[in-house]
Amino acid sequence: MTYPRQDIRIALPSKGRLTEPSLQLMADAGLRVHKPNPRQYQAHIPSLPGLTVIFQRPNDIVVSVRDGSVDFGITGWDVFSEHGQNHGSGENCAILALHKRLGFGQCTLNTIVPESWVEVETMADLRGWQKNLNRPLRVATKFPYLTGSFFDQHGFPHATLIAAEGTLEIAPTVGYADLIVDLTSTGTTLRDNRLKPLADGLILKSQACLIANRARLQNDPKVLPIAKHLLEFIVAHLRASENLAVYANMRGDAPKTIAQKMFAKQVISGLQGPTISPVITRQGDSWYAVHLVVRKDQIAQAISELRQVGGSGVVVTPVTYIFEEEPQEYRDMLAALERSGKG
C-alpha cells in the first residue's frame, strides 16, 4: 500500500459522548488542540506541529485509520471491535490498538429483553423461550458483527439480526424485533423503557481507546516518533491522574532514620521510596522535607501515617505527569510491529 500524502493525521470524535472528553484528555496531556473556527473539521496541536487534527464520527475514525487515510484516532473500543477487528484479527488487523483504556466513555454492550419476560434472565433461558417460536429470534442492533459472534457462541446460529439506527429501545414495543443488543452506561434508559439486560448477556466492556494504522507505523519513519510522543504524554498523564504529590516536614536525626519509620507504614513509602531533603531552619533544628507520591484513594491513610511518624505541615497537590522509562504501551506497540513484520 502506498501513501501519497505527506502529513500525519489524528482523528478525534466530532460529535457524541467522546468529543469533549477527548479534547480534555489531549489538553491535560499537554497536547491541546487549537481549533480557531468551531465549524472547521481540521485543527492542529501547537506542542506537536507535525500532527494534523481532523474531526470525524467515531465509526468513521475506525474506517479512516483502517484504510490509512488517517494515522491515529481516538474512538470507542466498541466501534473499533465492530468495524476494525472484523476485517482481520491479531497481526492481520490493519489497525493497532495503542492504548485500550483512556479512562472515559465507559459503557457496556448488552443483550437486552423486555421486563415482561419474567422467566428470561439468562442466555439459556432465552434459548428455552425461543423454542416456543416458529421462527428465528429477531435481534435489533447497531453491532451486527459482535452480536452475531456472541449469539453463535450461545447457540443461536439462525438469529435474525436487524440493522437499526437511532433509538433501539422502542424495537420490542413496536414489534420489529424481539430483543435488542445495545450500549448502556447507567441503565436508566432501559428501566424507563421497561427493559432489562440478561445476567450473562454482556458482550463487551468499552471505553475510549487510541488506535493507529499498522502499515503507516511500519513504513513511514516520520509516524513512529509521533506515536511515541502521544503515548509518552498520554500515559504519563493517566498515571499521574491517579496520584497526588504529598509534602511534609518531619523532625529527625537523619534521612535514613525517617525513611525507616516510613517504610514501616503501608502507603507512605513512595513509588521507589520517599524523597527526603534537609530543611535549613533559623534555629538550626534538625528538620527534613519529605516528598512522596500516593494514590488518590489512599490520601487519607497517607496523611494519618505521616502524622504517626511525626509529619506536620502536610501539603497535597495534583500531579500533572509521571514519566517512567519508556511506556509499556510503546514497547507493546514495537513488539506488535516486529511480529507482524515477520509474518
Side-chain angles (χ1 to χ4, degrees):
M1 183 180 293
T2 59
Y3 299 92
R5 61 182 174 84
Q6 297 300 312
D7 63 330
I8 303 172
R9 301 172 180 171
I10 183 171
L12 301 181
S14 59
K15 59 177 63 177
R17 58 190 174 85
L18 300 182
T19 301
E20 290 304 320
S22 294
L23 292 171
Q24 189 63 55
L25 171 69
M26 298 291 283
D28 292 342
L31 302 165
R32 180 181 61 85
V33 175
H34 180 60
K35 187 179 181 183
N37 188 332
R39 291 183 293 275
Q40 290 179 337
Y41 282 86
Q42 189 166 319
H44 68 279
I45 299 174
S47 63
L48 198 54
L51 186 62
T52 299
V53 179
I54 64 172
F55 295 91
Q56 295 181 298
R57 296 182 303 175
N59 287 18
D60 295 337
I61 290 174
V62 177
V63 175
S64 295
V65 174
R66 187 186 69 212
D67 295 346
S69 58
V70 168
D71 306 297
F72 304 97
I74 290 179
T75 188
W77 187 254
D78 54 327
V79 294
F80 166 66
S81 300
E82 175 69 24
H83 301 287
Q85 290 184 316
N86 58 331
H87 293 265
S89 60
E91 309 308 333
N92 297 317
C93 186
I95 304 176
L96 189 60
L98 302 187
H99 200 298
K100 300 177 182 179
R101 295 174 294 277
L102 294 180
F104 61 90
Q106 290 90 342
C107 59
T108 56
L109 184 64
N110 297 279
T111 307
I112 300 163
V113 302
E115 284 183 350
S116 59
W117 296 9
V118 293
E119 297 181 356
V120 179
E121 299 291 340
T122 67
M123 295 297 292
D125 296 337
L126 187 60
R127 285 195 300 272
W129 186 89
Q130 186 189 24
K131 292 179 181 178
N132 298 322
L133 296 177
N134 294 318
R135 54 171 174 76
L137 202 64
R138 300 172 302 168
V139 185
T141 183
K142 301 175 186 177
F143 298 87
Y145 171 71
L146 293 172
T147 301
S149 299
F150 183 80
F151 272 71
D152 284 347
Q153 294 168 9
H154 284 79
F156 297 88
H158 304 298
T160 300
L161 303 183
I162 301 172
E165 296 296 333
T167 302
L168 293 182
E169 289 83 5
I170 195 65
T173 300
V174 172
Y176 73 83
D178 302 306
L179 66 152
I180 66 174
V181 167
D182 201 8
L183 296 172
T184 65
S185 52
T186 64
T188 301
T189 302
L190 297 186
R191 291 189 292 271
D192 290 345
N193 287 276
R194 298 183 178 180
L195 300 170
K196 63 181 180 181
L198 295 184
D200 58 350
L202 174 65
I203 297 176
L204 184 79
K205 291 183 179 180
S206 178
Q207 60 179 284
C209 60
L210 175 66
I211 60 176
N213 179 273
R214 185 186 297 267
R216 284 282 278 175
L217 289 170
Q218 290 174 319
N219 301 327
D220 191 330
K222 302 188 301 295
V223 176
L224 204 59
I226 297 292
K228 183 175 183 180
H229 190 111
L230 289 170
L231 284 173
E232 284 273 17
F233 281 83
I234 289 174
V235 170
H237 163 66
L238 292 176
R239 185 182 294 116
S241 66
E242 299 173 351
N243 294 275
L244 293 167
V246 181
Y247 303 84
N249 292 328
M250 197 172 298
R251 191 189 297 273
D253 297 327
K256 287 187 177 180
T257 303
I258 294 172
Q260 290 304 318
K261 293 180 180 179
M262 297 177 68
F263 288 149
K265 299 298 181 181
Q266 187 175 352
V267 301
I268 62 172
S269 56
L271 295 176
Q272 279 78 39
T275 300
I276 303 175
S277 55
V279 175
I280 309 302
T281 65
R282 292 187 179 91
Q283 294 78 17
D285 297 338
S286 183
W287 282 86
Y288 291 87
V290 174
H291 173 214
L292 64 151
V293 174
V294 300
R295 294 206 322 256
K296 286 182 176 180
D297 59 354
Q298 295 179 331
I299 187 61
Q301 184 177 350
I303 293 172
S304 175
E305 291 181 2
L306 282 169
R307 287 171 173 165
Q308 291 170 20
V309 297
S312 63
V314 180
V315 176
V316 180
T317 64
V319 182
T320 304
Y321 304 108
I322 298 178
F323 290 98
E324 299 286 358
E325 298 176 359
E326 282 187 339
Q328 182 62 48
E329 289 80 359
Y330 181 68
R331 296 196 293 270
D332 291 343
M333 179 193 74
L334 294 179
L337 293 175
E338 183 178 359
R339 289 193 301 271
S340 59
K342 294 178 180 178

